[in-house]
Amino acid sequence: MVEPTKAEMDALDALLADVAGAPDPVPSDDLMARILADAEASRPVPAAPPEAPRLGWRNWLATLGGWPVLGGMAMAGVAGLWLGVAPPAAVDQMVAEMLGETVSVDLLGLTDPFELEG
């Protein structure tokens, strides 16, 4: 890095002293009026207040999001029920690979609902 010379430092000091002694510039009244008029013109117009949420048993469909949302929820419910009742063989195989074994639990205690065994 190059060090400044004494003459350069003196010139810089003189320049800064001149700037420090100068009065602050004051904008004219015409300029201030134009700035304020421009600011007033660019001010956003307030929007209407948002609609109150529609609650209650009559508007439950609209509260959820309408028919498309209800259709998606019904489809997800049916798919979940289907996969829970009759999972594909690939799911059993994947669980066996991840956990090392599969476990089957009979919640009703009926392995053969028609008791056709034995």
Side-chain angles (χ1 to χ4, degrees):
M1 185 163 139
V2 178
E3 292 290 325
T5 63
K6 172 112 173 85
E8 290 173 340
M9 292 300 290
D10 291 340
L12 181 61
D13 288 341
L15 179 63
L16 290 175
D18 286 344
V19 171
D24 291 335
V26 177
S28 67
D29 292 336
D30 182 46
L31 176 63
M32 290 303 293
R34 286 186 293 164
I35 290 173
L36 291 175
D38 187 36
E40 187 67 33
S42 65
R43 178 193 252 174
V45 177
E51 181 180 324
R54 296 181 282 182
L55 301 175
W57 67 274
R58 293 182 188 179
N59 295 321
W60 66 272
L61 184 61
T63 303
L64 284 177
W67 285 107
V69 172
L70 189 64
M73 287 173 49
M75 188 64 202
V78 168
L81 181 66
W82 183 2
L83 289 174
V85 170
V91 173
D92 285 337
Q93 183 181 3
M94 183 178 64
V95 169
E97 289 174 4
M98 292 174 67
L99 299 177
E101 63 182 67
T102 58
V103 177
S104 179
V105 177
D106 188 13
L107 297 177
L108 299 176
L110 300 173
T111 55
D112 187 10
F114 300 108
E115 297 186 17
L116 295 175
E117 289 181 8

